[in-house]
Amino acid sequence: MNDTFITVSVEENVGIIELNRPYVLNALNLQMVEEIVAALEAFDRDQAIRCMVITGNDRAFAAGADIEEMAHDGVISMLVKDQFAVWDRIMLVTKPIIAAVSGFVLGGGCELMMSCDMVIASETTRIGQPEIKLGVMPGAGGTQRLTKAVGKLKAMEMLLTGEPITAQEALQYRLVNRVVPVELYRVEALKTARRIATMPPLAVRLIKKSVGKAVDTTTMEGLEYERNCFYLLFASEDKAEGMNAFIEKRTPNFTGK
C-alpha cells in the first residue's frame, strides 16, 4: 500500500497526475481526492506549467468512490466530514485540465472527469453514475454536470438506471472530445496538452473562465464578461507578440506577460 495515492510528473510544460490505487480500480477515497486537488493547485501556481492531464490506467480511470470509507457514515458524520468541499476547489483552478480516461469511469470517477475541461477517452471506456444502485445519488456534481453535458433525458436515464454508456455513446452525447484506441488515449491527451501549452497563457486562462461563464450565467452576462476579457488582453505583451509574429510570418514566443 502506498503512502500516497497519486503519482505526479512533468513533461515539458505539462503537469501529469496519475491515479494510483489499481488494487481497487482507483476508487476515490478522501485522501486521494485531497492529493489530486493539492497537485492541481500546485501546478496552477507553477508558472512553468501551462496545462494539466489527469489519468488512471487502461483498466480504470476511477471506478467510483471508496464505498468502504462511507458505508457506516450517518447524516451528522457526513456533514462534519464535508467531503465535497475539496471538490469545489477544482473549479478554482485557472489552467486547463485534460482527463485521459480508459476502462471504468464511474460515480466519483465520472464526476472527476466532468470537472476537467477536455476529455480524451479510449475505446474501452465505460462512463456512468451508478450511485442509485447503492441507495444514494451523486454528490460531487453528477446530476448537475451530466445534465448540462448530455441533456435532461439522457441524464435521467443514466442516473435512474445506473447503467454506463460506451465511449462512442459518450462521444455522441458530447461528454468526451475524442475516442481513440486504448494504446493512444494518453498519447493524444499529452499531445493536446502540449499544443495548449504553446498558446498564450493569459488568453488560455481567460478563455477557460469565459467558457465557465457560458455554462453558469446568462448569455448577456457571458458576453459582457467575454468582451471585458478581450479588451484586457490588449494590455498584454503576448497580444503584441502574437500579432507581430503573424504579420512577420514567424512562430510566436508567448511568455504569459
Side-chain angles (χ1 to χ4, degrees):
M1 300 283 285
N2 291 332
D3 292 330
T4 60
F5 297 128
I6 65 171
T7 59
V8 176
S9 59
V10 175
E11 292 188 17
E12 299 176 18
N13 297 107
V14 178
I16 304 166
I17 299 168
E18 183 174 351
L19 312 187
N20 191 30
R21 294 186 80 205
Y23 42 89
V24 287
L25 298 175
N26 288 334
L28 299 165
N29 62 14
L30 292 179
Q31 179 184 333
M32 191 178 192
V33 176
E34 286 279 2
E35 291 175 4
I36 292 167
V37 175
L40 288 171
E41 291 172 336
F43 283 145
D44 208 30
R45 292 189 298 268
D46 187 341
Q47 293 186 3
I49 302 300
R50 297 190 175 184
C51 192
M52 296 168 246
V53 172
I54 302 179
T55 190
N57 57 54
D58 293 353
R59 189 179 178 195
F61 175 65
D66 190 331
I67 302 304
E68 290 187 7
E69 189 176 60
M70 66 178 76
H72 302 293
D73 277 314
V75 175
I76 301 303
S77 61
M78 289 298 284
L79 283 171
V80 171
K81 188 185 298 183
D82 194 15
Q83 68 187 59
F84 300 120
V86 66
W87 287 79
D88 295 338
R89 287 157 50 194
I90 300 176
M91 294 187 294
L92 303 178
V93 174
T94 64
K95 296 172 184 175
I97 308 168
I98 300 174
V101 304
S102 184
F104 297 113
V105 187
L106 305 176
C110 181
E111 290 169 310
L112 178 60
M113 180 199 78
M114 291 190 295
S115 296
C116 298
D117 301 300
M118 298 177 64
V119 182
I120 309 298
S122 88
E123 57 195 0
T124 67
T125 301
R126 296 294 181 270
I127 298 172
Q129 298 280 175
E131 289 89 345
I132 195 167
K133 295 182 178 181
L134 301 174
V136 290
M137 61 179 283
T143 63
Q144 303 305 298
R145 291 191 177 95
L146 188 64
T147 301
K148 289 178 179 178
V150 306
K152 175 187 174 182
L153 299 181
K154 190 62 180 179
M156 289 291 280
E157 179 183 348
M158 292 176 66
L159 292 162
L160 295 180
T161 67
E163 293 301 311
I165 60 174
T166 66
Q168 288 298 332
E169 288 177 297
L171 183 63
Q172 174 188 346
Y173 283 100
R174 301 178 182 178
L175 197 54
V176 304
N177 292 83
R178 289 195 294 282
V179 176
V180 298
V182 67
E183 63 270 19
L184 293 178
Y185 73 99
R186 291 194 189 193
V187 173
E188 286 297 312
L190 287 169
K191 180 180 177 181
T192 302
R194 290 191 190 101
R195 184 172 184 181
I196 293 170
T198 67
M199 300 299 173
L202 294 174
V204 168
R205 176 175 178 170
L206 292 180
I207 286 170
K208 174 171 175 170
K209 293 188 72 172
S210 292
V211 171
K213 291 290 184 182
V215 173
D216 296 327
T217 65
T218 67
T219 300
M220 288 305 297
E221 290 173 321
L223 283 171
E224 182 178 3
Y225 187 85
E226 176 190 87
R227 288 166 187 167
N228 288 334
C229 290
F230 175 79
Y231 298 142
L232 183 61
L233 289 171
F234 273 69
S236 70
E237 293 179 12
D238 279 348
K239 171 264 176 186
E241 169 65 10
M243 293 191 175
N244 288 334
F246 178 83
I247 293 169
E248 296 164 8
K249 295 180 172 56
R250 61 176 174 82
T251 301
N253 178 30
F254 295 119
T255 61
K257 298 180 181 179

